[in-house]
Amino acid sequence: AGEFLYQQYPQLNKYWSAATHDIISLWYHERSREIEQLSGEVLNALSLIEIAIDYGVKNTAVIYDDLLTLKSIVFERGIDTRMCLSNLEKMSTGEKLSLLMKEVEADEFADCFQRFATPFLQRQETHLPGCSEQLLTDYLTALAKDDLVPCLSIFKTAHTEHPANPLLLDTVKFIQLILTCLYTCERNDQLSIADQIFECIPEEKDSDSTALLELHRKVDAVDNHLHVVELLQHYEIYKPVAYIKAIEDDDVGAKKLMIRVARSAARKKPPLKNSDWFKLSEQLLHMQKNAFKCLQEIVCYEVLADSLLSSGAQETVSLGGQLLAHTPYQQPVPLNATPLEDSTGSRNRSVFVCRIPFSLSVALVLSAAREYFNSATSPTDHEMSLARYCLDLIEEHVDEIIVEHQLIEAMGILASHQVSVLPVQVRLCQHKLEIVREALQSSPDLFRSSDTVLKLAQLLGLKDAGGCVDNLTGELGQAMILVIQAAMKRSQFHEASVLSDRLISTPFPAAWSVCSELASGDQLQDLQTRTRLLQFALTHCPTNEIKRLLQVLHTVEAESLYQQCSVLSSDTQQQQVSGGLLRQFAGVQQLVSRSAGAVQQLIRADMGETGKMSRYLNWMSSATAGLHDYWQSNAPHHSVEHVRNSSQLVQSCHPFYDNAFSTPSSPTSVGSYIVLRPVSRLERLQLNHAILRTSLLLDDCSQSGSDVSEVLVSMAQSTAANDLSLFLSCLLALPEPLLAKPLILKLEPNMLTLHVAIYYVCLQLSNLLTSNCDYSLYLLPPATVVAHVTSHMINNQSDWPEKTRELFNFLKELQSKLGDLMEGKTLQEFDLDIDVERFTQEAAYKHQVILMLARSTDGVYLSTGLRLAAKYEVSKWEVFMEHLDWLLTDSKLANQMILDHMTQLGVDDVILQKPQESVDYLLTIVFPKMDGTEHNSLLVCLSLVEKCVRSGARDVQPVGVSKQIKVLKTFKLLLPAVDFKAVMSGNDPLVVLQPYLTSENVRRIADVANKIPLSSSDHLLASHIYRTFAEKMFWDKQTDKEIDWLYRYHCCQEYLEKLPGAEYEAVIKSFTISPIALELMPIDVRTSIVRKCIKFSKSQSCKMEGIAVKLQQLLKHLKIVGDVALAQLADKAEWRPLYEELAISDSETDKIHSLVVKMFMSGLDHQLINSVLTLTSSVLPHSLRLPALLSEAMESCLSKLRYQQLIDICGVVIST
């Protein structure tokens, strides 16, 4: 029976045989799959397998688990309704788990995992023991790679002792799983999630397990890595924890990360403060110690210093400089010392200590300076100033530092001459001469400043042939050649010749070509200069150029001789001299012409004979070399540049008299007696000599005197800095002594010139007072002459002529200047920044210096100031007041030291000489500058004022000084930190006092309250102090715990009882119906407080008359505020302000009136508004009626509409 079934479905033939366990199991498997595949009824297929399990059919566990999983996916999770059993079976176990937890919200992840994933893992564990741990690890690490939030929700509920633990792992594996997830995450924006996951790690317990101890060491490492990531995010560097672990042994990567942190900190806006930089240094050291142990500690300081130096702010660069060794002798603080501690061990967060050795400091400074230099676009850029500031941090002369300084200076020169070049281009240029050439091309007149060009060349690193920068050879000579060529290009041949002379004097052989070019043309008119240039070119030119240059030289020499003779002839003819002299000139001309022809024949003959010419050249070269050697060995003093005694502080004389003085100053321009050569131009002194001699010769010829005073004065002016003897001689030769006065007054006022001038005046006075000229007077020492003449003039006051009196007054003027100058020099010895010239000329500056000397406790300074005050008519009182000002404001001395010092000097006696002026000075100048918290100094000041008041001065302050002293003493004892001046200013003294009031001092402060003024010409009361302290106690917010307001009221009650009725009522209202009370306290607490106050006020009826009635009204008002009918006002946000206005109104009629109008305008229900009117009238009866208030609200709305329409109309009119 039933064979037709097997015939119709041949695939069932395998079940026709006898039923065995395997056949039955196979049938259940295939049948359940058919049910699921054909109908999609997973539950029916699952029921079939459950029947098989009930009957003990074998091998049904796997398909049963798969059907359960499919049921969860399709029906319970609803993830993929098209998922079938066959597709599910093709998936790996991990894929099944991932599909099971797909698209789960973060807040539901833990519950979903507990509900679906945990049973799934448990079922897998029954099939293959141990696989669930690996599945879980793989799944969570895969999640952690992209998002840690799901892992966090799992770990939060996965403590090993938690009853709903979704992860059945022991402690070690649980911790390992957490660490694996943290290190797997590749996201850099989940630090907070990682921290929360880290918090899920069980605390370390005492255990002997090596594995557990090792694991907790890894946990500590993760903790350090998380701290590093947190630090990085603080500086806007986002890295995952895995990145820190990856580079913890990579010294290069770790250093780069530290550099990035430091540079990021340097770029923060606003810039970091010093404290932030100190914090950064600690953070870098923490990173090195806990995460990057591959780095040495010095690397942290190196990175920090590099970032500070490169921060772009001078203050920060200066802070970085504190880490550096500025000289090779400065020893850095040992690295093992505590960070941010100096050598004494005291912690100092205002300065860094030296940590970096000198060699590394130089490298860091150079790196920062070059970075600033290269990034600058012009010498005026801020980066260039920072580069210079960085270089100045190194105090030792280091070649690399000097080179950088020179480059910066060179950029300034280039910019001043309009050379458009970037600093980095200058640094990278291989041929610096090209930069010099470009500068000459950019600035047409730069060749006129050859020293500037040479300086530019030196700053760019160009040197002479010996590697120095002193001689115009090598590259410097080439630079000078460029200058000469630029001058010639602009037809400035005279300037070119002057510059060529410098190359000739060096000498620089390579300059022969430019000298030849300049001298060969006709543009240079000076024949002597052309001759000199051609001679130099002949000496150094190649042999093939000798013939040409000799021809040019001979032509120039012949022309020069002819011109000299022609000029001499014309001059003599104009002077109409004798015929014999003219014949001599004509003979000279004929001789010159013959000589010129002979020279030409000699040249032609010599050029034809090669041997003779070569012998001539050899002789000339040897002669030139010998002359050069002679100059080098015998005349070194006269080859240097001209040095002037511009300061006139050293005895100057002619070089002939050098050995007559110990330290002479002689001009080199008049001292060469070795070389005899024609002078092309006379200096000013030589010109004056010539004019003077000419005048004297004319006098001798004509026998008529001429006025040479102007020439003598000019000559004296020229010799004042070079030859004082000649200077004095010129003055003594003047016909009138007073003619020297303008010149003497124009000289620089120094000791030497003033002594010479006084000596000169005394000599002239002596000549005027004696009828016969006594030449022995000139043989006496100048000091003797001055003393004798001065004594005679003082002791013999007679009716002198006008000229004598004027000269004597001039002598006194000079002696006064000398005395002032000596005083100025004495003050300079005190290391004071004194301008001696101003001191000798300005009376106001003398006064200022005297008062400056008074600002010191040094006895020498003060005694000098008093001496100068007596000399220059400055009152002793003013000096002492300045000294007292400094003691009380700037001296930083202890109070007892100030008192002892004042007693020692007798300051009180001097002050009491002018009591009123002293009071005015102390109160208007000294007292305003004093710190209000320095009670000791304030007490000294006010005590002095009190003494002056007792001596007759007026007490001009609103509060008497004695009362102020009493208050100050109280503050000094009880409130040492309070600003006394702020309290006594009258501007809200309670605001100043409130932070310092305590239960220990409030009574003592209340005792002196009536001595503290108010701005309203009144004073504080004790009740004001008690009220302020009570409010401070009640509203104290310095606690995170729940506030017991009734207990606070109880604590304040003691001080509230001291208040009068009105203030008591005001405080209670601030406690119960103020905005802050409405925000912080519930209605029942406020009601309780009011009831307690009512009880107290009734017991104090004599003191608080009528207060109990007002508090009863307040209690009724609070009941209205808590009424249910009005609760809807507080429920809606837009009506909440109306409720708060009602709560603080205290049911007053005016406030209720305004409130009801606002309620109408806000659109509230009239029944609610009527309830407000009804309830508030029960507290304070009023005559407010709803219709009238509604009408007022409507009128207000209409007014606003009309105003808005008017504005719109005006806007249209204006626009048209």
Side-chain angles (χ1 to χ4, degrees):
E3 293 180 1
F4 67 93
L5 292 176
Y6 295 96
Q7 293 174 359
Q8 187 177 358
Y9 301 100
Q11 66 271 24
L12 300 178
N13 286 334
K14 53 188 172 183
Y15 303 117
W16 179 250
S17 59
T20 63
H21 290 290
D22 294 335
I23 293 298
I24 294 174
S25 175
L26 179 61
W27 181 84
Y28 276 107
H29 275 260
E30 292 188 354
R31 186 58 179 164
S32 60
R33 284 188 174 88
E34 289 176 352
I35 294 173
E36 187 275 331
Q37 181 179 2
L38 298 176
S39 66
E41 294 293 339
V42 179
L43 297 178
N44 292 344
L46 185 61
S47 299
L48 180 62
I49 297 299
E50 288 175 350
I51 294 171
I53 293 173
D54 292 339
Y55 283 106
V57 178
K58 298 180 179 180
N59 301 324
T60 56
V62 175
I63 191 172
Y64 179 72
D65 291 344
D66 288 341
L67 287 171
L68 287 176
T69 303
L70 184 60
K71 171 191 172 186
S72 299
I73 292 172
V74 175
F75 295 104
E76 297 179 358
R77 290 294 325 284
I79 298 173
D80 188 357
T81 56
R82 294 176 296 177
M83 175 62 66
C84 60
L85 181 61
S86 59
N87 291 337
L88 183 66
E89 290 176 334
K90 294 176 183 178
M91 299 172 65
S92 65
T93 310
E95 292 174 339
K96 295 176 183 178
L97 179 58
S98 299
L99 182 61
L100 193 60
M101 296 300 297
K102 184 180 179 181
E103 299 177 0
V104 179
E105 298 293 335
D107 54 349
E108 300 175 355
F109 195 87
D111 295 336
C112 191
F113 191 90
Q114 177 71 24
R115 182 179 174 188
F116 300 107
T118 301
F120 175 80
L121 292 173
Q122 291 172 348
R123 292 195 296 269
Q124 300 305 316
E125 185 70 18
T126 59
H127 303 312
L128 183 60
C131 70
S132 62
E133 294 180 3
Q134 187 61 41
L135 280 173
L136 179 63
T137 302
D138 294 342
Y139 175 67
L140 290 181
T141 52
L143 288 176
K145 183 177 181 180
D146 299 320
D147 191 2
L148 285 175
V149 175
C151 300
L152 173 62
S153 61
I154 295 298
F155 292 138
K156 276 187 175 180
T157 57
H159 296 291
T160 53
E161 299 179 358
H162 198 281
N165 180 13
L167 309 180
L168 299 177
L169 301 176
D170 58 17
T171 302
V172 173
K173 293 180 180 178
F174 180 65
I175 295 175
Q176 288 176 342
L177 180 58
I178 290 179
L179 299 185
T180 302
C181 290
L182 290 175
Y183 282 129
T184 303
C185 181
E186 297 179 354
R187 290 180 59 173
N188 56 17
D189 58 347
Q190 289 194 323
L191 175 61
S192 60
I193 306 301
D195 287 334
Q196 296 180 51
I197 291 177
F198 183 79
E199 295 295 330
C200 295
I201 296 177
E203 296 182 358
E204 183 177 2
K205 299 180 180 179
D206 296 337
S207 174
D208 297 333
S209 173
T210 305
L212 192 58
L213 293 175
E214 178 63 25
L215 189 60
H216 277 287
R217 279 194 288 271
K218 293 181 180 180
V219 171
D220 294 337
V222 173
D223 189 17
N224 292 330
H225 293 166
L226 287 171
H227 280 92
V228 172
V229 173
E230 182 179 3
L231 171 62
L232 295 179
Q233 290 195 6
H234 177 69
Y235 295 104
E236 299 179 356
I237 301 173
Y238 298 94
K239 296 291 183 182
V241 183
Y243 176 80
I244 306 302
K245 180 176 176 60
I247 66 168
E248 64 179 350
D249 295 324
D250 179 7
D251 53 348
V252 176
K255 184 177 180 179
K256 288 182 178 179
L257 182 61
M258 283 193 171
I259 292 174
R260 186 176 175 188
V261 170
R263 289 299 179 97
S264 177
R267 292 191 299 268
K268 269 188 169 292
K269 299 295 182 183
L272 298 184
K273 300 179 181 177
N274 286 7
S275 58
D276 298 325
W277 284 109
F278 283 106
K279 182 179 179 181
L280 175 60
S281 68
E282 294 174 346
Q283 291 169 341
L284 292 177
L285 290 171
H286 178 78
M287 289 171 61
Q288 179 269 335
K289 181 179 179 181
N290 296 292
F292 304 129
K293 297 180 180 179
C294 58
L295 296 177
Q296 296 181 354
E297 187 176 335
I298 187 64
V299 175
C300 300
Y301 293 109
E302 177 187 351
V303 170
L304 179 63
D306 178 67
S307 179
L308 288 167
L309 294 177
S310 305
S311 62
Q314 183 172 330
E315 297 80 3
T316 313
V317 173
S318 175
L319 188 64
Q322 297 172 6
L323 288 167
L324 307 179
H326 303 284
T327 65
Y329 313 104
Q330 184 177 359
Q331 297 297 325
V333 175
L335 295 178
N336 56 2
T338 304
L340 301 175
E341 291 188 359
D342 55 22
S343 56
T344 63
S346 60
R347 193 171 183 86
N348 190 345
R349 299 188 69 90
S350 62
V351 295
F352 278 120
V353 295
C354 177
R355 293 288 191 179
I356 301 175
F358 181 72
S359 59
L360 184 55
S361 298
V362 172
L364 290 172
V365 166
L366 285 173
S367 175
R370 287 167 180 165
E371 182 177 345
Y372 286 131
F373 182 89
N374 294 342
S375 62
T377 58
S378 69
T380 58
D381 277 4
H382 179 60
E383 287 79 2
M384 198 67 76
S385 300
L386 291 175
R388 189 181 294 107
Y389 186 80
C390 287
L391 295 173
D392 290 340
L393 293 175
I394 300 300
E395 300 174 0
E396 190 70 15
H397 291 286
V398 181
D399 292 341
E400 294 87 344
I401 298 293
I402 294 174
V403 169
E404 294 299 322
H405 272 300
Q406 291 176 345
L407 277 179
I408 294 174
E409 189 175 356
M411 287 304 305
I413 296 176
L414 291 173
S416 64
H417 293 90
Q418 294 80 41
V419 180
S420 179
V421 60
L422 292 175
V424 68
Q425 292 176 311
V426 175
R427 182 185 297 280
L428 298 178
C429 181
Q430 297 296 324
H431 304 288
K432 297 297 192 296
L433 272 175
E434 295 301 320
I435 297 178
V436 177
R437 188 190 307 277
E438 184 178 353
L440 289 167
Q441 293 175 354
S442 301
S443 181
D445 295 330
L446 181 57
F447 68 89
R448 301 184 187 277
S449 304
S450 59
D451 291 337
T452 302
V453 178
L454 291 177
K455 182 178 180 181
L456 173 63
Q458 293 171 359
L459 294 175
L460 290 173
L462 303 181
K463 302 183 183 299
D464 64 10
C468 302
V469 294
D470 298 330
N471 297 322
L472 294 180
T473 60
E475 293 176 324
L476 289 181
Q478 294 294 338
M480 181 59 81
I481 290 176
L482 293 177
V483 178
I484 297 172
Q485 291 174 346
M488 294 170 60
K489 185 177 180 180
R490 291 165 177 81
S491 301
Q492 300 297 323
F493 298 100
H494 175 70
E495 286 80 357
S497 66
V498 174
L499 298 174
S500 299
D501 285 338
R502 295 182 63 178
L503 289 177
I504 292 173
S505 63
T506 299
F508 182 44
W512 75 267
S513 60
V514 70
C515 292
S516 170
E517 181 183 357
L518 179 61
S520 298
D522 297 332
Q523 295 86 354
L524 183 62
Q525 301 299 321
D526 191 342
L527 297 179
Q528 292 183 354
T529 301
R530 292 176 65 186
T531 301
R532 184 169 61 254
L533 294 175
L534 288 170
Q535 289 171 349
F536 177 80
L538 271 170
T539 305
H540 299 286
C541 70
T543 55
N544 60 345
E545 293 287 334
I546 292 176
K547 180 178 179 180
R548 181 184 65 83
L549 292 176
L550 274 175
Q551 290 176 346
V552 177
L553 176 61
H554 292 162
T555 303
V556 171
E557 287 179 345
E559 185 179 356
S560 177
L561 288 172
Y562 179 78
Q563 285 185 356
Q564 289 178 10
C565 293
S566 300
V567 171
L568 182 60
S569 175
S570 62
D571 289 345
T572 53
Q573 290 175 4
Q574 290 176 4
Q575 293 176 5
Q576 297 181 0
V577 294
S578 63
L581 188 57
L582 287 177
R583 287 193 294 273
Q584 291 180 5
F585 289 146
V588 170
Q589 286 181 339
Q590 185 178 7
L591 178 62
V592 168
S593 61
R594 292 177 182 175
S595 299
V599 168
Q600 292 175 1
Q601 294 177 0
L602 177 62
I603 291 173
R604 287 194 292 269
D606 288 343
M607 291 303 167
E609 300 180 9
T610 306
K612 186 183 296 185
M613 189 66 198
S614 62
R615 288 194 300 272
Y616 167 72
L617 292 175
N618 292 336
W619 171 84
M620 186 173 66
S621 299
S622 61
T624 303
L627 183 61
H628 176 72
D629 295 339
Y630 176 79
W631 268 102
Q632 293 296 322
S633 58
N634 297 301
H637 288 82
H638 307 286
S639 62
V640 298
E641 67 275 5
H642 177 65
V643 180
R644 286 188 174 271
N645 180 26
S646 60
S647 62
Q648 301 176 345
L649 297 179
V650 182
Q651 174 67 52
S652 56
C653 63
H654 194 279
F656 184 79
Y657 303 100
D658 276 356
N659 56 359
F661 300 92
S662 57
T663 57
S665 171
S666 57
T668 60
S669 60
V670 297
S672 176
Y673 300 105
I674 299 176
V675 180
L676 300 176
R677 58 182 178 177
V679 180
S680 61
R681 292 182 300 171
L682 293 176
E683 294 183 359
R684 182 179 179 183
L685 176 61
Q686 294 169 325
L687 180 61
N688 288 328
H689 270 294
I691 295 175
L692 179 61
R693 181 164 179 80
T694 302
S695 300
L696 294 176
L697 288 174
L698 290 176
D699 288 345
D700 292 339
C701 295
S702 62
Q703 298 297 324
S704 61
S706 60
D707 188 6
V708 295
S709 301
E710 184 177 353
V711 178
L712 287 171
V713 171
S714 177
M715 187 172 178
Q717 183 176 359
S718 302
T719 59
N722 301 324
D723 193 342
L724 281 177
S725 300
L726 184 57
F727 167 74
L728 185 59
S729 301
C730 293
L731 295 183
L732 290 173
L734 290 170
E736 292 293 335
L738 288 175
L739 293 175
K741 182 176 179 180
L743 173 61
I744 292 174
L745 293 178
K746 286 194 300 183
L747 294 177
E748 181 180 354
N750 56 56
M751 304 287 285
L752 187 57
T753 55
L754 286 175
H755 274 103
V756 172
I758 291 172
Y759 178 52
Y760 161 74
V761 174
C762 288
L763 287 175
Q764 296 289 20
L765 280 172
S766 178
N767 293 330
L768 290 174
L769 294 174
T770 58
S771 57
N772 299 323
C773 184
D774 187 4
Y775 294 102
S776 63
L777 182 68
Y778 295 92
L779 303 179
L780 295 176
T784 304
V785 175
V786 172
H788 173 72
V789 172
T790 305
S791 175
H792 178 77
M793 296 293 292
I794 294 175
N795 296 329
N796 296 277
Q797 298 287 344
S798 60
D799 188 14
W800 293 324
E802 181 66 24
K803 183 187 300 183
T804 304
R805 287 199 304 271
E806 189 173 354
L807 198 59
F808 181 59
N809 292 334
F810 183 43
L811 174 63
K812 291 193 293 184
E813 180 182 351
L814 293 176
Q815 289 178 333
S816 176
K817 283 190 175 183
L818 181 61
D820 292 345
L821 185 63
M822 295 174 65
E823 293 289 1
K825 296 293 184 182
T826 303
L827 293 175
Q828 279 189 333
E829 295 176 359
F830 292 161
D831 293 331
L832 297 175
D833 187 15
I834 301 297
D835 188 340
V836 178
E837 183 177 356
R838 288 187 61 193
F839 187 83
T840 58
Q841 297 176 359
E842 300 179 15
Y845 187 69
K846 290 189 182 75
H847 188 277
Q848 178 182 347
V849 171
I850 292 170
L851 296 184
M852 181 177 66
L853 290 171
R855 300 184 70 83
S856 172
T857 56
D858 191 328
V860 177
Y861 281 54
L862 189 57
S863 61
T864 303
L866 291 172
R867 178 178 61 79
L868 294 178
K871 179 177 180 180
Y872 295 113
E873 299 179 354
V874 178
S875 69
K876 184 179 180 181
W877 176 85
E878 188 175 358
V879 175
F880 270 65
M881 292 307 293
E882 185 72 21
H883 184 62
L884 182 60
D885 183 359
W886 178 80
L887 285 176
L888 295 177
T889 58
D890 298 331
S891 66
K892 308 300 182 184
L893 296 177
N895 190 55
Q896 189 59 43
M897 293 179 65
I898 294 176
L899 293 175
D900 295 342
H901 186 71
M902 291 170 57
T903 303
Q904 181 181 359
L905 294 177
V907 174
D908 291 0
D909 298 335
V910 177
I911 288 178
L912 294 179
Q913 293 175 3
K914 298 180 178 180
Q916 188 59 53
E917 291 84 346
S918 300
V919 169
D920 296 340
Y921 189 93
L922 289 171
L923 294 181
T924 59
I925 297 178
V926 179
F927 190 79
K929 294 190 293 185
M930 299 178 70
D931 187 355
T933 60
E934 295 292 337
H935 294 171
N936 290 326
S937 300
L938 291 171
L939 188 59
V940 172
C941 180
L942 293 179
S943 298
L944 291 174
V945 174
E946 186 180 30
K947 291 180 181 180
C948 294
V949 170
R950 292 175 181 174
S951 298
R954 299 188 309 277
D955 191 352
V956 297
Q957 290 188 306
V959 179
V961 66
S962 58
K963 294 181 180 180
Q964 290 193 50
I965 292 175
K966 183 175 180 180
V967 175
L968 180 57
K969 289 180 178 179
T970 304
F971 284 3
K972 177 183 175 184
L973 179 63
L974 300 176
L975 305 175
V978 77
D979 190 334
F980 173 77
K981 292 169 60 178
V983 173
M984 301 301 291
S985 67
N987 297 324
D988 295 329
L990 292 175
V991 175
V992 182
L993 288 172
Q994 190 263 354
Y996 303 96
L997 293 177
T998 64
S999 57
E1000 290 79 10
N1001 61 27
V1002 64
R1003 294 177 178 81
R1004 294 285 301 277
I1005 301 302
D1007 293 340
V1008 297
N1010 59 352
K1011 298 176 178 62
I1012 299 175
L1014 293 172
S1015 57
S1016 58
S1017 301
D1018 203 348
H1019 56 79
L1020 287 181
L1021 300 176
S1023 61
H1024 295 163
I1025 303 296
Y1026 289 126
R1027 175 179 176 177
T1028 300
F1029 181 63
E1031 292 175 341
K1032 174 186 176 183
M1033 289 183 63
F1034 189 80
W1035 296 117
D1036 185 15
K1037 297 182 180 180
Q1038 298 180 356
T1039 177
D1040 295 331
K1041 300 179 180 179
E1042 185 176 354
I1043 300 175
D1044 186 350
W1045 294 103
L1046 293 177
Y1047 174 74
R1048 283 200 178 182
Y1049 170 77
H1050 176 74
C1051 295
C1052 299
Q1053 189 171 3
E1054 176 186 357
Y1055 306 102
L1056 296 175
E1057 292 174 356
K1058 300 179 182 294
L1059 302 180
E1063 288 194 39
Y1064 182 80
E1065 178 190 358
V1067 171
I1068 299 307
K1069 287 186 177 181
S1070 70
F1071 285 178
T1072 54
I1073 61 172
S1074 63
I1076 188 173
L1078 188 65
E1079 177 184 357
L1080 299 179
M1081 283 191 291
I1083 189 68
D1084 56 343
V1085 174
R1086 290 183 280 153
T1087 304
S1088 300
I1089 292 175
V1090 172
R1091 287 195 177 99
K1092 291 179 179 292
C1093 295
I1094 293 172
K1095 182 178 180 181
F1096 169 73
S1097 59
K1098 287 181 178 179
S1099 64
Q1100 301 289 329
S1101 57
C1102 59
K1103 178 181 177 182
M1104 298 188 178
E1105 183 178 359
I1107 299 301
V1109 176
K1110 294 182 179 180
L1111 293 179
Q1112 287 285 359
Q1113 295 174 354
L1114 177 60
L1115 182 61
K1116 293 180 180 179
H1117 174 72
L1118 289 176
K1119 291 180 180 179
I1120 291 174
V1121 173
D1123 190 273
V1124 178
L1126 302 180
Q1128 55 180 319
L1129 281 175
D1131 293 339
K1132 292 187 178 181
E1134 62 272 19
W1135 294 349
R1136 179 70 183 180
L1138 298 175
Y1139 176 78
E1140 293 176 354
E1141 186 174 349
L1142 172 63
I1144 64 176
S1145 65
D1146 199 17
S1147 295
E1148 295 179 5
T1149 301
D1150 294 340
K1151 295 179 181 180
I1152 296 301
H1153 183 181
S1154 175
L1155 173 63
V1156 171
V1157 172
K1158 291 179 181 178
M1159 292 174 73
F1160 272 123
M1161 295 177 69
S1162 299
L1164 269 70
D1165 184 60
H1166 70 281
Q1167 294 181 353
L1168 178 62
I1169 298 174
N1170 192 34
S1171 299
V1172 172
L1173 289 175
T1174 304
L1175 292 173
T1176 53
S1177 63
S1178 64
V1179 179
L1180 285 175
H1182 55 72
S1183 59
L1184 300 176
R1185 294 296 179 264
L1186 204 61
L1189 294 175
L1190 175 59
S1191 176
E1192 182 179 347
M1194 293 177 65
E1195 180 62 30
S1196 177
C1197 291
L1198 290 174
S1199 299
K1200 289 184 178 181
L1201 288 174
R1202 285 194 295 269
Y1203 180 71
Q1204 184 61 43
Q1205 289 176 353
L1206 180 61
I1207 291 176
D1208 295 340
I1209 293 172
C1210 292
V1212 171
V1213 172
I1214 292 173
S1215 62
T1216 56

